[in-house]
Each structure stands twice: as C-alpha cells, then as structure tokens.
Amino acid sequence: MLFWGRVSDLFSAKPVFAFSFLALGILDVIISFLPDKYSFFVLRAISGIAGAALIPAAYRLISAVFEPHELGKAFTLFGMSGALANVTGIIIAGFVEYIPTHGQGAPWRWFFRILGIMIIPVAIGSLFWIPKPKGAIADVDGKLKRLDLVGSLSMLAGIVLLILGLTLGASIGWKTAGFLAPFLLSWFLFVFFFVWEAKIPQEYALLPAKTWKIPNFAILLVLSLYTYGWWATNFLPFVEIFVKVHEEKPIIAAVRLLPQGIAAGFITIFLTVYPRFLARPQWAIIVGTIASQVGLVMFTQWTGNQLGAKYWSLVFLGGIIGSAGMMTVFNAINVAVMTTVPPEMSGVAGAVLQVAFQVGSAVALSIQAGLLTINEGWIYNFKNVQASWYFQLGWGLLWLIAFVVFYRPSKNPVSSSEDGAEQGEARVIIGH
C-alpha cells in the first residue's frame, strides 16, 4: 500500500487504480480454476498486491477529482463501501455454500468467479469513467528517484514479520523462536525505516518529517489500529460459534450478523446527509468509541442459551450499537486525516491510514487466536472468546484515553462541507 500510494502521488492514480482493479478481477477468475493449493497461494499473493494498489489510488483520485469543499462528504461515502461489503459479502458467501457440486464446481470456486464477474466490467469502465489526474512532478526521472524503494521495502518487511511472528506465536507458542525471531526483527526494521526517512532528503522520503507535523495525524493513526480489529474479533468468533458450536447453516450465521453491516451503512448515510457531525471529529470519535465498548461489554455477557432471548438482547442489540459506533469512528478518522493532508500527499496518507487499519486487524486477530487457547475447548469454550473480547475492551480503552489526552481540536472548525463551500474556503479543515 505504501509503495502504490507513492506511485499514485507521483504518477497518475487512474491507471494504478484501473489496471490493478482489472488484474484483481482476472486473477480471481483464474484462481477459481486452479488445480492445486500451491498455485492458489502464489496467485492469491499476486492478487493481494493488485488489491493493495486500489485503496491508496482511490484516496488519491478522490482528492484529485472532488472539489475541496466536497472532500468530507466524498470520503464519508467512500467509507460506506466497507459497510456494504460486510452486508453483501457474508450473504453471498452464505448462499455460495449451498452449491452442491464438487471439483471445478465447488462453492469456493464460484465465490471467486462471482468476484471476477462483479469486478471486471467495472474495472474496464473505470478506464473511461475516471478523469485523469496529473502527477505532482513533471519529469519521469524525478519521480523514479522519489519512489523511496528502500523505505517501502523496509516497512513492508517489518509489517510482514510482525504479523508472521504474532501468527506463529498464537499457533506454536509465545516463547518459541518462530515467534521471537520475526517479532523482534520487525521492530528493528521499523526503527530502520524511521531513521532512513529522517536522513534522506525530504522530497525523496516516503513519509517526510513534515507528515508528523500535520495536526493530530499521529494520534489519529494510532487510534486507527483499533477500528478494523473491532469488527474482525467479533465477526470471526460469532461465525465459528453459530456454524460449529450450534451447527447452523452459514447463511443463517450471515443473517445473524447482518444487523452490524446495516447499522454501519445507516450511520454512514446519516453522516453523509449531516456532515456537520464530523466537523468536530473528537466528539464523534469519543462517542463512537464508547458505543463500540458498550457493544463489546454486551457480547461478553452472551452466556447460557445463546440462540434464545440473549441473542436479541445482547448480540443483536450490541452489534447495532457497537458497529454504528465503530463506523462513526472510522468515518471520523478517514475524513479528519484526508481533509488535512496536502493533496499531493493524499495517496501516501491514505496508504498509511489503511496500513494502520489492516495491521491493527491482523494484530488483534493474532492475539485473539492465542487467547482462544487459554482454556481447553478452543471456540467451544466461551470463556476463551470472552477473554479475547476483554482484551479488545482494554485495547480500545487505552486508545480512547490516549486520544482524549493528545488530541488537539481546531479553534475554528468548519461545521460542514456546505459551509466550507459557502465561505469560499480553500479546503475543509477538519481536525486541523
């Protein structure tokens, strides 16, 4: 993501987005026909590279295509895609499980084919529908020098080793070399990355020092580590409990989690219609984080007859409250960061933000995997699931306290994107 964010900022983001999107669709179709697991792993990795290019390119395109006073609403709408994906993805996956055939007609193969069918036409259309934004630098040689491959690769290696270490630690033990070696080496690479970025000329740095001077950028980045992890650490155990413990059909498990996606989509529509609620993002983030904590507390009390009244009073209601709150936080962070960074840095800034979202999710899932083995019985022992949610509660509370302490609100925030347009502002200042 960091590399593609830099490419999107220096060159045109349109071909990065369109051709990566097309490659993702074509690879999904090819993957659906693969005969062995090794070719599956290789092409899935390549499709992951294509997918990683889409998000920073999308951020850059939004910053380039929309007027400054429209950015708040545009990034809020962009955030809705995650909520829609949660709603549609689990439902489609649930229906795909009903496909009765095997071999080349197996359900998982059709899942990839459906993705390809959905992606390819839109990807081709994006070549014609998206206006072409201009890169920030005119000469190609200058752009190539500014790609900062050393910075991109060192951060990539550090993140991969961190996730690998946490995954192996949860699987084979926290005192083994499989955990300690990649985990400790990852921190060495992180330190190297920041030292490298500080030493090279700022115009060549992937994350120049001026990035950290953007008001509230660092604390919003830290808080973003919590957001995706909230959904990941409740979606996965809920599905496992419904399907494996209570032996329900996957489509039933998907429907049971549908309220979370609907709540997230509803709150995004609300924030799009009334953008003034994000004009002071500190309050949206505080209220949203508290709501997400309330949802987790309700989940931890889901004992006894889990499919009876307690499902409706704890999982159903807790999912609506928590998911709506978490989506509010996600949108507030998204808008606050992307409307304060300089437009020429929007690709890298979006990439950094998404890296934080994804790393937070991966770390949360890895820690949860370890906590699910505290007591005998794995997912079948609800005390293990409770322990993982208690950890998520503590993690969220820590980030909330840090946010309240270190966030510095604007003295003159713009109340909404419309107000910014009427006042002739150069751009919406949210969280600046």
Side-chain angles (χ1 to χ4, degrees):
M1 285 189 186
L2 291 174
F3 172 77
W4 288 119
R6 188 66 162 173
V7 171
S8 298
D9 283 340
L10 296 176
F11 299 87
S12 174
K14 176 180 176 177
V16 175
F17 181 90
F19 290 117
S20 297
F21 204 18
L22 184 60
L24 182 63
I26 293 173
L27 284 169
D28 280 336
V29 174
I30 295 173
I31 287 170
S32 72
F33 292 98
L34 293 178
D36 63 275
K37 63 182 180 180
Y38 301 106
S39 57
F40 175 89
F41 292 149
V42 171
L43 289 191
R44 279 292 281 167
I46 297 174
S47 69
I49 296 172
L54 292 175
I55 296 175
Y59 275 111
R60 176 64 174 170
L61 284 169
I62 291 172
S63 295
V65 171
F66 287 88
E67 294 297 326
H69 64 273
E70 298 174 324
L71 289 178
K73 183 175 291 186
F75 282 115
T76 304
L77 282 169
F78 180 61
M80 189 188 295
S81 61
L84 292 175
N86 281 337
V87 173
T88 58
I90 59 175
I91 296 297
I92 292 173
F95 278 115
V96 166
E97 281 294 321
Y98 281 102
I99 297 176
T101 57
H102 302 281
Q104 285 296 327
W108 71 267
R109 296 183 182 277
W110 279 107
F111 185 80
F112 284 101
R113 289 165 190 163
I114 291 171
L115 287 177
I117 292 169
M118 294 171 63
I119 290 172
I120 292 175
V122 182
I124 294 174
S126 68
L127 289 167
F128 304 96
W129 300 329
I130 299 175
K132 182 180 178 181
K134 296 181 180 179
I137 303 170
D139 63 294
V140 175
D141 290 338
K143 293 178 180 180
L144 294 176
K145 291 178 181 178
R146 288 165 169 78
L147 284 178
D148 190 10
L149 293 177
V150 173
S152 297
L153 293 175
S154 60
M155 178 56 77
L156 169 64
I159 291 173
V160 169
L161 287 172
L162 175 64
I163 295 173
L164 175 64
L166 291 172
T167 303
L168 291 176
S171 302
I172 63 178
W174 302 104
K175 296 181 180 180
T176 62
F179 162 69
L180 293 173
F183 181 78
L184 296 176
L185 184 57
S186 69
W187 291 105
F188 168 79
L189 288 170
F190 291 145
V191 172
F192 170 81
F193 170 80
F194 287 108
V195 172
W196 170 265
E197 295 298 294
K199 286 186 174 295
I200 64 175
Q202 292 299 291
E203 62 269 23
Y204 295 149
L206 183 67
L207 274 181
K210 65 180 181 180
T211 304
W212 306 107
K213 296 180 181 179
I214 297 172
N216 297 312
F217 181 80
I219 186 61
L220 289 170
L221 202 63
V222 170
L223 185 64
S224 65
L225 293 169
Y226 171 67
T227 53
Y228 277 11
W230 187 92
W231 280 296
T233 54
N234 82 76
F235 260 59
L236 187 59
F238 274 136
V239 169
E240 296 283 3
I241 290 172
F242 290 136
V243 174
K244 294 187 176 180
V245 178
H246 297 291
E247 299 181 346
E248 291 190 324
K249 296 288 186 180
I251 187 61
I252 301 301
V255 171
R256 287 189 182 277
L257 294 175
L258 193 58
Q260 289 197 32
I262 294 174
F266 176 82
I267 200 68
T268 303
I269 294 171
F270 175 82
L271 293 173
T272 303
V273 176
Y274 301 102
R276 65 182 67 250
F277 284 94
L278 295 180
R280 292 186 180 273
Q282 71 271 31
W283 297 114
I285 288 173
I286 291 172
V287 172
T289 304
I290 292 174
S292 73
Q293 297 285 83
V294 170
L296 282 175
V297 170
M298 295 175 73
F299 294 161
T300 62
Q301 305 308 304
W302 188 45
T303 57
N305 184 12
Q306 295 181 325
L307 300 184
K310 284 193 173 183
Y311 163 78
W312 297 101
S313 62
L314 296 174
V315 177
F316 179 83
L317 186 58
I320 291 176
I321 295 172
S323 188
M326 204 69 262
M327 196 64 188
T328 301
V329 175
F330 173 79
N331 281 314
I333 293 174
N334 225 13
V335 173
V337 170
M338 296 311 300
T339 55
T340 55
V341 298
E344 66 273 12
M345 292 179 58
S346 56
V348 167
V352 172
L353 190 58
Q354 283 296 320
V355 166
F357 286 139
Q358 299 288 351
V359 169
S361 176
V363 170
L365 283 171
S366 298
I367 294 174
Q368 184 181 62
L371 293 173
L372 290 178
T373 61
I374 290 179
N375 303 294
E376 293 290 334
W378 183 56
I379 200 80
Y380 297 90
N381 188 338
F382 190 67
K383 290 183 179 179
N384 293 331
V385 182
Q386 282 180 312
S388 71
W389 285 337
Y390 285 137
F391 170 82
Q392 191 70 11
L393 271 168
W395 196 6
L397 181 61
L398 175 65
W399 287 165
L400 178 59
I401 293 172
F403 177 79
V404 172
V405 171
F406 293 107
Y407 185 84
R408 295 295 177 264
S410 168
K411 295 180 180 179
N412 298 297
V414 175
S415 61
S416 71
S417 59
E418 287 82 358
D419 293 341
E422 292 170 0
Q423 296 168 17
E425 294 287 343
R427 60 191 177 97
V428 180
I429 304 175
I430 299 180
H432 190 277

